Amino acid sequence: MNRRHFLSTLSAAGLAACSKKPADANAPLRFGHFPNITHIQGLVAHALSRQGKGWFEPRLGVPVEWFVYNAGPSATEAIFARSLDVTYIGPSPVLNAYAKSKGTEIRILSGAATGGSALVVRPEAGIQTPADFKGKRIATPQLGNTQDVQLRAWLADNGIKVTATGGEASVLPTQNPDQLALFIKRDIDAVWTVEPWVSRLELEAGGKIFVEDKGTFATILASSVAFVKDRPELAKKLVSAHEELTEWIQKNPLEARKLIQSELKELTTKAPGEALLDRALPRVVLNTEVNRSGLDEMVVAAQKAGFLKDIPSLDALLPQL
């Protein structure tokens, strides 16, 4: 992503908005994220807000209201409902929302993290090769979320046909905490999910990583189109604050780690242990760039999975490159 072009785009949006009724400059920023380690920036910022310090609040000059979702499609539904301004989210739900709205409802502001995603199998399931997934039950966080699309595309690439309700393997959209319980009970054979759930499946249920995705964007920062058009200066400040936060986390890993632990405890009632963080955190690479070719690859993967049959050019989704 070329940040200079993005900021100039926001400035142009601000000029266009001058003829309209101005947005409330003091309105809270409604900010979403998930209880996942791939959403490190959201976890750290939310924890700081709880402590009364705040990261975004002093830099943006407005209050921040936090909203937590299990997976991307729930967050994009909130954007469609005009109840959410910006969120950390995976790329697949953003692409789906962009296609569904014909390019009119959602924009990508920045990258956030890559990696932290894997296909984990239960050793007793007897899965040694891709062909062994035939007849198996595989969970993902939510229908149409990034890992759901990745799994369906991967199965298609390996000659295993699946549909929304069946096929040669069963894909079962299941919330992350429920995946772990079902895995332990042997009610599912594999899971494609993100950290910390990948490491929890390994440490608490004996799961083995079959495919680790190190290169795909796990998390990006996305907003509603209305936010960019109506509050362009705030959007500009948000991009800068997000980049600054990412740099701070990279330079202060121990302090960030404590904030991640405290926030995950608030959201899941259980603080991740040191062994879990030792395993999960190195798998997530913070990265604020957005690679257009990577998004194009995600479109291809979604089409293999049966999504995005008709999607507009991605030019409007991103600032000018």
Side-chain angles (χ1 to χ4, degrees):
M1 171 181 287
N2 187 313
R3 184 170 178 268
R4 181 183 298 172
H5 284 181
F6 174 58
L7 297 183
S8 66
T9 299
L10 291 177
S11 298
L15 292 174
C18 288
S19 61
K20 299 180 181 180
K21 182 180 179 181
D24 182 358
N26 299 313
L29 178 68
R30 299 166 300 177
F31 211 140
H33 73 92
F34 313 159
N36 299 336
I37 285 177
T38 48
H39 287 219
I40 291 176
Q41 293 98 329
L43 294 173
V44 168
H46 196 168
L48 289 171
S49 293
R50 289 186 194 277
Q51 295 177 6
K53 301 175 182 178
W55 180 273
F56 289 109
E57 292 90 335
R59 289 164 176 81
L60 303 183
V62 298
V64 173
E65 296 178 352
W66 290 101
F67 297 84
V68 181
Y69 302 91
N70 172 66
S74 299
T76 58
E77 288 170 8
I79 286 177
F80 283 159
R82 305 291 193 273
S83 59
L84 189 68
D85 299 310
V86 62
T87 187
Y88 290 108
I89 189 172
S92 287
V94 172
L95 292 170
N96 187 55
Y98 183 76
K100 184 177 180 180
S101 68
K102 301 187 184 303
T104 64
E105 293 289 346
I106 198 162
R107 295 290 182 263
I108 293 176
L109 304 185
S110 176
T114 57
S117 164
L119 174 60
V120 183
V121 300
R122 189 167 51 80
E124 301 86 353
I127 299 172
Q128 302 295 328
T129 69
D132 295 331
F133 281 89
K134 287 187 177 180
K136 297 298 191 290
R137 296 163 59 87
I138 315 156
T140 63
Q142 189 173 2
L143 179 66
N145 96 309
T146 299
Q147 291 74 52
D148 186 75
V149 170
Q150 286 177 303
L151 171 64
R152 293 173 188 272
W154 183 85
L155 291 172
D157 285 341
N158 285 279
I160 301 174
K161 298 178 181 179
V162 295
T163 65
T165 58
E168 295 178 323
S170 298
V171 179
L172 308 172
T174 308
Q175 292 194 8
N176 287 310
D178 297 330
Q179 293 173 358
L180 179 61
L182 292 172
F183 197 91
I184 292 172
K185 291 167 60 178
R186 302 185 179 185
D187 288 340
I188 54 176
D189 303 299
V191 178
W192 196 314
T193 189
V194 295
E195 294 291 0
W197 303 101
V198 171
S199 292
R200 289 193 66 179
L201 287 164
E202 290 180 292
L203 295 171
E204 299 176 36
K208 302 296 181 183
I209 290 181
F210 192 87
V211 175
E212 183 175 0
D213 182 2
K214 298 181 179 181
T216 301
F217 257 103
T219 312
I220 55 180
L221 181 63
S223 80
S224 67
V225 167
F227 172 68
V228 173
K229 287 185 175 180
D230 297 344
R231 307 177 80 178
E233 290 304 315
L234 189 65
K236 185 189 304 185
K237 291 180 181 179
L238 175 62
V239 172
S240 295
H242 162 70
E243 291 176 349
E244 187 183 349
L245 174 60
T246 302
E247 184 177 356
W248 181 87
I249 292 169
Q250 291 169 327
K251 292 181 177 179
N252 299 274
L254 295 181
E255 190 172 351
R257 181 181 176 122
K258 292 178 182 177
L259 292 167
I260 291 166
Q261 281 183 302
S262 67
E263 187 58 26
L264 286 175
K265 183 178 181 180
E266 288 285 346
L267 298 177
T268 68
T269 71
K270 181 179 180 180
E274 298 301 327
L276 178 63
L277 291 177
D278 286 344
R279 187 177 295 234
L281 285 172
R283 291 174 173 163
V284 181
V285 179
L286 301 187
N287 181 2
T288 60
E289 296 298 314
V290 176
N291 186 321
R292 169 64 183 269
S293 64
L295 291 175
D296 289 335
E297 290 173 5
M298 290 297 297
V299 170
V300 173
Q303 290 171 338
K304 287 180 182 177
F307 300 102
L308 302 185
K309 294 181 180 179
D310 183 19
I311 183 170
S313 167
L314 299 187
D315 291 345
L317 179 62
L318 295 162
Q320 185 180 355
L321 297 177

